[in-house]
Amino acid sequence: MRGEDRTSGALFSYVDIEARISAKHPLRAMRRLTDAALAELDQAFSALYVGFGRPSIAPERLRRATLLQLLYSIRSERQLVERIEFDLLFRWFVGLSIDEKVFDASTFSKNRDRLLTQEIAQGFLASLLALPEVKGLLSAEHFSVDGTLLKAWASMKSFRPKDGSGEPPSPGRNGEADFRKTKRTNETHASTTDPDARLFRKANGQESRLSYLGHALMENRNGLVVAAEATLATGTAEREAATAFSERLPEGATLGADKNYDAEAFVEGLKAREIAPHVAINGSVSKTGKARKTAVPPEVAASLGYAISQRLRKRIEESFGWSKTVGGLAQVKVRGLAKVRAAFVFAMAAYDIVRLPKLLAPTGEVCPAA
């Protein structure tokens, strides 16, 4: 018997939104971890609001919505709000019922200075890693560090002389500008749209671009990011950030890194804190044919742990790759170092949230029963 095609919907629905979400959906485990981490930030959120006036949109909902934007590679906050409007899965994850009105996209902009901060992002990452079921996955002895280039939300045409000289681009939506035979440096030029962005190139043979640098510290047992930071793009920023990370490590720990960290001052600093410098040897040859002298002690380079660290340290690139291809950080969509720092740290926390359900699934601590 052929079924009837009814084009008019029912007036009432008696199905709970919770019943619409599969018990095995990966977002269930992710939301449980997210809620537990956000619960630890309750006092920090309360300190951001006054005790009177009209109630605001719950900051926890805005944070969960931002996490969805990273997980599903949604390009803009306006598209995110549109998706939450009709997608029951998104409504459930954010914490909205079917009847509740979705907040406007401008809510993110109005609360950006309050919620998109380095303190909140770092607190969220720390709370996530401090959960009892997560702490058992982390190594306390073996770590890796690396940095990545973050393209700034600024055009090269905005990189103008600081003294106001130079010809502006031709008029129009995307006016032309001739940069030939002009020397531009960070000392003489600055971006008019993002003054914190710096002209930088990551390696020889690559073009220079307005950028920031993101840095991450990874534990080697499961490849989870345990610390993150973003800085101005300079030639020494990676080693300076790694030095700051190393101050958190216990004595006797190992720290793996690529050959960019093979500098005497950095390696000697690790040795002074009794941290084994498992740094890749920079054996580059100069134009005169002289090989560069490494700062890594020969006994460390010959050890078995050094070889293991050199193999495992490359996993940190997975977090950078995910943040750029999925998390939308191929070019940051905020301006200013403070906001870039917050966005990068929160993206690293999102990467951990994506990986944790599979790591915790064998123990049965997070995944719900079918």
Side-chain angles (χ1 to χ4, degrees):
M1 179 179 177
R2 178 180 175 180
E4 181 181 356
D5 180 22
R6 297 182 179 180
T7 57
S8 60
L11 181 60
F12 300 104
S13 175
Y14 301 98
V15 179
D16 186 11
I17 190 173
E18 187 79 20
R20 295 293 187 185
I21 311 302
S22 172
K24 297 182 179 180
H25 199 286
L27 277 186
R28 281 192 174 273
M30 295 182 193
R31 179 176 174 181
R32 180 176 176 181
L33 290 167
T34 302
D35 290 348
L38 289 175
E40 298 296 325
L41 298 178
D42 181 68
Q43 293 184 355
F45 286 142
S46 298
L48 299 175
Y49 297 86
V50 297
F52 57 90
R54 186 177 62 180
S56 69
I57 304 297
E60 293 85 354
R61 292 185 174 184
L62 295 178
R63 290 288 79 191
R64 285 194 289 263
T66 304
L67 181 60
L68 282 177
Q69 185 178 8
L70 296 175
L71 297 179
Y72 284 84
S73 306
I74 299 177
R75 184 174 58 185
S76 67
E77 292 160 350
R78 191 168 298 277
Q79 289 182 340
L80 172 64
V81 171
E82 181 182 356
R83 182 75 178 269
I84 297 174
E85 180 66 43
F86 66 81
D87 196 321
L88 291 182
L89 179 64
F90 276 42
R91 278 181 169 270
W92 168 82
F93 190 89
V94 173
L96 295 171
S97 66
I98 296 179
D99 299 327
E100 284 187 271
K101 183 179 179 181
V102 182
F103 40 81
D104 191 80
S106 62
T107 304
F108 292 97
S109 300
K110 295 176 181 178
N111 289 273
R112 199 177 306 280
D113 293 336
R114 177 188 290 138
L115 298 178
L116 187 62
T117 63
Q118 169 79 351
E119 292 74 17
I120 294 297
Q122 292 285 6
F124 180 75
L125 177 61
S127 300
L128 179 66
L129 298 174
L131 297 178
E133 61 266 36
V134 178
K135 289 181 66 176
L137 301 174
L138 306 179
S139 172
E141 300 176 348
H142 307 293
F143 301 87
S144 297
V145 68
D146 202 0
T148 187
L149 192 71
L150 303 174
K151 187 178 179 182
W153 191 252
S155 169
M156 288 297 295
K157 296 178 183 179
S158 71
F159 199 57
R160 311 275 302 149
K162 295 180 180 179
D163 58 8
S165 62
E167 297 181 1
S170 58
R173 179 183 177 89
N174 190 18
E176 295 183 357
D178 187 8
F179 302 122
R180 295 179 180 178
K181 298 182 180 180
T182 59
K183 185 178 181 180
R184 296 180 294 174
T185 65
N186 291 317
E187 289 73 22
T188 59
H189 290 61
S191 172
T192 56
T193 55
D194 189 356
D196 288 339
R198 295 291 183 269
L199 193 64
F200 189 78
R201 65 176 181 176
K202 194 73 165 61
N204 294 331
Q206 296 182 359
E207 74 279 10
S208 298
R209 58 180 63 180
L210 293 174
S211 313
Y212 294 91
L213 286 179
H215 315 274
L217 178 69
M218 178 193 75
E219 55 83 31
N220 289 353
R221 178 181 297 172
N222 288 298
L224 295 173
V225 176
V226 295
E229 182 62 279
T231 63
L232 299 178
T234 65
T236 60
E238 292 191 45
R239 291 190 292 271
E240 292 171 357
T243 300
F245 288 152
S246 66
E247 296 176 355
R248 311 181 186 183
L249 305 184
E251 294 183 359
T254 66
L255 183 63
D258 60 30
K259 62 182 181 181
N260 187 48
Y261 297 83
D262 187 6
E264 183 177 0
F266 176 72
V267 174
E268 292 299 326
L270 294 181
K271 292 166 60 178
R273 288 185 289 275
E274 298 186 9
I275 298 175
H278 289 182
V279 179
I281 295 176
N282 187 355
S284 59
V285 180
S286 65
K287 295 181 180 179
T288 60
K290 185 178 180 180
R292 187 178 185 276
K293 184 179 179 180
T294 179
V296 181
E299 60 275 12
V300 173
S303 64
L304 177 61
Y306 179 86
I308 296 175
S309 292
Q310 286 301 303
R311 185 178 73 252
L312 295 180
R313 69 170 178 82
K314 300 176 183 178
R315 296 184 63 184
I316 199 171
E317 298 292 348
E318 298 177 8
S319 62
F320 296 151
W322 183 91
S323 67
K324 293 182 179 182
T325 58
V326 179
L329 289 189
Q331 183 175 18
V332 294
K333 297 180 177 61
V334 291
R335 295 190 175 113
L337 178 60
K339 293 181 180 179
V340 171
R341 292 170 68 190
F344 179 75
V345 173
F346 193 72
M348 291 296 99
Y351 170 77
D352 285 348
I353 290 177
V354 169
R355 298 201 60 245
L356 281 172
K358 288 186 177 180
L359 295 174
L360 292 170
T363 65
E365 295 177 357
V366 170
C367 292

